[in-house]
Amino acid sequence: MSGVEEELNARSFDFGGMIRRRPGAVAAPRSVEELSDLVRKAARDGTRLAIRGGGHSQGGQCLTAGGLVVDTMHLDGLETLGEDLVRAQGGTPWGKVVDALRGTGRLPCVLVDIGEATVGGTLSAGGLGTASHRHGLQVEQVERLEVVTGTGERVVCSPTLNAALFDAVRGGQGQFGVIAQAWIRLRAAGSRIRRYELIYRDFDRFADDFERVVGDGRFDHLRAETRLHTGKIIMGAGIEHDGDVDDDEVLEELGHDEVASASDTADVGQAGIYPAWGFSRRNRHPWRDWLLPWSTLRTLIAQPWLTPRSVPRAPFSWTGVYPIRTGPNAAPWVMRPQGELITSYSILAVLGDRDWATRLTGQLREIDRTLVDLGAKSYLSGDVAYGRREWEAHYGDKLELGREWKREFDPNSVFESNGSFG
């Protein structure tokens, strides 16, 4: 097989492994200027583009059938700008951002769990993590962006400069422009992190504690995993610190059944990032994520829509929730329920058998309808398979705004659409 064939085949699948679209060509620009030239030429020639960072999408968002895949792997430069800001190119993996900040006592406000995911990729989806109960989504922690629009124009945008483009590309699924550079806010980080896994067998008792710790803010990091097959739910929590930690004081008044683990490390930024070897691209990942009202928490962890046969048992699946604080800098194109506090709900499977993965994909689409009835909005990383009516329901009265943005920023429809515009 030639090198060109290998390049095309490697970019015919995304992380999900469920969808195949073979591109006509692959380009890997080494500068923003080169990226701009590529987009400008595509607009002139009528070539469709798909932008690929870490390729971590599960719904084919970084794929194109016959078009040009623009791989941003070489656009991975970054620079710290004082204590509170880092400028990173769109193809920079979040793990590289963390490594560059090692020893500075600073970290991005929110980190995703996969270090190979890129800055441009997660900002194009929303970006959530274990610190979202304090800081919200990653798109809310961006100072400004440099974007290459569908005409090839390079535009710097922020809440006060070219604000419509700033709103369009944050959570825009790469449909309005390419995030070439992002100015990301940093926060003070502890020199160490103390992490706990607390096991509960009573889900109501867990819900009481989860609401308590979200409210009192005792933890810097927070998520939970439900294990339907064993009747357990695990609270994963962490505290960043610079000195001794009294476990009894930290866990005071919590009603967990046991502490499965308590660990301490100086690698604060990498502590919550899953190792790359845990997610082989030889497997299928039919993942789905949703954002729901906080009031649905107890229903979510009870999971009446799941049976032991509907999802694989751990370690072949992970079902979990992250509390998310919404802030004043919300990106309007990331659809979410109303309220200052919401929650994510995720069903993430790692399967080697394609037939099994395909069956699960169908089950996840059925679950989607149930969750939407509870007030959910899909987090657009997985394969939602929405048609016109579902997209209209998802975006509501903002769908027309998205169409206006498409006409303004990508008038020739250069960028692959997720299907929401028909």
Side-chain angles (χ1 to χ4, degrees):
M1 183 183 297
S2 69
V4 172
E5 287 295 312
E6 288 182 356
E7 277 195 342
L8 295 176
N9 286 339
R11 293 162 179 85
S12 297
F13 294 91
D14 63 359
F15 178 78
M18 300 295 296
I19 297 171
R20 185 178 191 273
R21 296 182 186 132
R22 184 179 170 84
V26 174
R30 294 182 176 273
S31 68
V32 180
E33 291 82 0
E34 189 176 340
L35 171 64
S36 176
D37 290 342
L38 280 169
V39 176
R40 188 178 297 110
K41 184 178 187 300
R44 185 178 66 244
D45 297 345
T47 303
R48 297 297 291 273
L49 299 182
I51 310 303
R52 186 183 185 97
H56 191 70
S57 65
Q58 299 100 49
Q61 294 94 324
C62 63
L63 306 179
T64 177
L68 175 66
V69 167
V70 178
D71 195 318
T72 63
M73 61 182 173
H74 299 306
L75 298 176
D76 63 348
L78 57 94
E79 178 186 9
T80 54
L81 305 172
E83 285 193 342
D84 299 325
L85 209 61
V86 65
R87 176 167 56 90
Q89 290 186 314
T92 309
W94 283 103
K96 182 175 179 177
V97 177
V98 170
D99 289 342
L101 293 169
R102 198 182 302 274
T104 67
R106 316 297 287 183
L107 281 173
C109 296
V110 178
L111 287 168
V112 292
D113 295 341
I114 305 295
E116 294 74 38
T118 60
V119 167
T122 62
L123 293 181
S124 295
L128 59 94
T130 58
S132 287
H133 69 297
R134 287 194 173 173
H135 303 290
L137 299 176
Q138 288 184 321
V139 288
E140 298 166 4
Q141 302 298 333
V142 178
E143 192 90 354
R144 56 180 163 145
L145 298 167
E146 182 181 12
V147 175
V148 176
T149 70
T151 62
E153 182 181 5
R154 295 173 60 180
V155 181
V156 174
C157 55
S158 71
T160 57
L161 178 68
N162 300 310
L165 181 61
F166 188 68
D167 284 343
V169 296
R170 291 183 302 148
Q173 301 288 303
Q175 299 179 95
F176 308 104
V178 188
I179 295 176
Q181 297 193 87
W183 284 253
I184 303 160
R185 298 187 193 98
L186 303 177
R187 61 171 178 82
S191 59
R192 300 189 66 84
I193 182 170
R194 182 76 165 165
R195 303 173 69 207
Y196 303 91
E197 287 194 349
L198 310 178
I199 293 181
Y200 292 77
R201 294 181 177 84
D202 184 308
F203 282 24
D204 283 330
R205 184 160 17 98
F206 164 82
D208 290 340
D209 281 359
F210 208 51
E211 290 172 340
R212 177 182 293 113
V213 298
V214 169
D216 65 28
R218 73 178 72 181
F219 293 117
D220 299 305
H221 299 270
L222 201 58
R223 66 184 171 208
E225 175 189 359
T226 62
R227 293 188 176 177
L228 175 73
H229 302 86
T230 58
K232 296 178 182 178
I233 188 165
I234 302 170
M235 184 190 301
I239 292 178
E240 295 178 21
H241 65 93
D242 296 309
D244 295 331
V245 174
D246 185 332
D247 291 343
D248 290 336
E249 182 179 339
V250 171
L251 303 180
E252 185 179 7
E253 296 182 348
L254 298 185
H256 49 278
D257 293 292
E258 62 182 285
V259 179
S261 68
S263 60
D264 207 281
T265 178
D267 202 351
V268 178
Q270 292 283 357
I273 294 178
Y274 291 109
W277 53 260
F279 298 108
S280 169
R281 290 181 183 265
R282 292 192 297 270
N283 290 322
R284 318 287 179 176
H285 304 93
W287 292 8
R288 286 296 304 270
D289 303 88
W290 297 266
L291 303 177
L292 287 108
W294 183 249
S295 60
T296 65
L297 174 66
R298 291 172 189 270
T299 303
L300 291 177
I301 60 177
Q303 304 170 132
W305 47 83
L306 295 186
T307 68
R309 294 184 178 181
S310 59
V311 296
R313 61 186 303 134
F316 300 104
S317 70
W318 186 94
T319 303
V321 298
Y322 290 70
I324 302 169
R325 186 80 54 182
T326 62
N329 301 313
W333 201 237
V334 179
M335 297 297 106
R336 72 192 77 189
Q338 296 296 313
E340 295 182 359
L341 187 65
I342 61 176
T343 183
S344 72
Y345 177 73
S346 305
I347 301 175
L348 315 179
V350 179
L351 301 172
D353 182 86
R354 184 179 181 85
D355 290 340
W356 192 3
T358 300
R359 290 194 301 273
L360 179 57
T361 298
Q363 291 167 334
L364 294 179
R365 291 172 183 167
E366 294 177 6
I367 291 170
D368 175 73
R369 290 190 285 269
T370 299
L371 296 180
V372 167
D373 287 343
L374 289 174
K377 293 292 185 181
S378 280
Y379 180 78
L380 300 177
S381 64
D383 179 17
V384 297
Y386 281 177
R388 180 176 60 84
R389 290 183 180 178
E390 288 91 349
W391 284 122
E392 289 175 350
H394 179 77
Y395 285 114
D397 57 7
K398 291 183 179 178
L399 184 58
E400 185 53 42
L401 175 61
R403 289 173 175 150
E404 291 177 9
W405 285 339
K406 190 69 172 175
R407 290 190 290 267
E408 180 178 359
F409 303 127
D410 185 22
N412 297 312
S413 295
V414 169
F415 300 120
E416 288 282 354
S417 171
N418 64 7
S420 56
F421 300 126

